[in-house]
Amino acid sequence: MYYTVCEVAKRLNLSPHTIRFYSKEGLLDFVDRDQNGNRIFKESDFERLFIIASLKRAGMTIKQIREFTILCDQGDSTIAQRLKIIMDQKESVEEQITELQDALDVLKYKTWLYEVSLEAGTTAIHDNMPLEDMPQNIRKIKERIRRLTDDMEQQYIRASQNEEKS
């Protein structure tokens, strides 16, 4: 059975434009065409297209994906190179996830802070609030923010001292 660009796009939750773009960029050379020149996808094409889309969502550039697919086409002699590419991208994605989790934690903290402030009618309610009066998940975030602030202050002090010595 063969599938059109629109059918593939719907099945993989991509836009037809994205699939055509991937084709234009040389990522879909494995896809056959019918007698009218239209792309026709086989069931076996879905996995490769899904992997290409996943690598793109993981932050790889089209150029990097093209290089990866070329290595795939070259066979087993490139397994080590492909593994390195995937491991490097995995590390990059894990770093992004950590950064996003930090950003989400700050948003959770600020949401709590403003909900309590709205109820009290002032943000001053937090000025002298002991950590023990905060919910545990908020307390952990507040402590991390405080540690980060203290670390930054210490770095500033050391940098200032180093400048004075120079």
Side-chain angles (χ1 to χ4, degrees):
M1 178 159 192
Y2 290 100
Y3 302 89
T4 65
V5 168
C6 289
E7 290 169 331
V8 170
K10 185 174 183 177
R11 191 163 166 190
L12 293 177
N13 198 27
L14 297 170
S15 71
H17 172 78
T18 298
I19 294 173
R20 290 184 186 100
F21 175 73
Y22 289 166
S23 183
K24 182 178 137 261
E25 293 297 319
L27 298 179
L28 305 181
D29 293 342
F30 58 91
V31 175
D32 295 328
R33 292 189 180 257
D34 66 14
Q35 66 274 13
N36 297 321
N38 297 317
R39 292 170 201 86
I40 52 172
F41 294 83
K42 301 180 296 284
E43 196 74 35
S44 60
D45 296 334
F46 281 88
E47 181 179 351
R48 188 156 183 184
L49 186 54
F50 178 77
I51 289 169
I52 290 168
S54 295
L55 293 175
K56 184 66 179 133
R57 280 192 301 276
M60 287 180 73
T61 66
I62 294 297
K63 180 181 176 188
Q64 290 170 316
I65 296 170
R66 188 180 311 107
E67 291 169 3
F68 178 79
T69 59
I70 289 169
L71 290 171
C72 290
D73 291 339
Q74 291 174 357
D76 290 348
S77 64
T78 64
I79 291 172
Q81 292 166 281
R82 288 183 271 160
L83 176 60
K84 172 130 179 43
I85 290 168
I86 294 300
M87 288 175 66
D88 289 348
Q89 196 61 37
K90 178 179 165 273
E91 184 178 316
S92 175
V93 169
E94 288 170 342
E95 289 171 9
Q96 291 172 17
I97 289 170
T98 298
E99 290 172 7
L100 286 171
Q101 186 60 56
D102 289 345
L104 180 59
D105 285 348
V106 169
L107 294 172
K108 287 177 182 178
Y109 169 73
K110 295 302 270 184
T111 298
W112 170 81
L113 184 136
Y114 289 123
E115 286 173 348
V116 171
S117 297
L118 184 61
E119 192 174 307
T122 179
T123 58
I125 191 163
H126 301 287
D127 291 349
N128 297 310
M129 182 181 284
L131 286 174
E132 303 81 48
D133 290 351
M134 298 178 185
Q136 185 173 357
N137 64 326
I138 298 300
R139 188 178 325 147
K140 288 180 182 179
I141 297 167
K142 177 68 173 174
E143 288 170 339
R144 255 186 37 227
I145 292 170
R146 187 173 290 160
R147 278 193 309 273
L148 178 63
T149 304
D150 291 347
D151 290 348
M152 290 172 63
E153 185 176 337
Q154 291 302 314
Q155 288 176 0
Y156 176 77
I157 290 169
R158 283 192 297 273
S160 297
Q161 291 171 344
N162 288 339
E163 284 179 14
E164 290 174 9
K165 291 179 185 178
S166 298

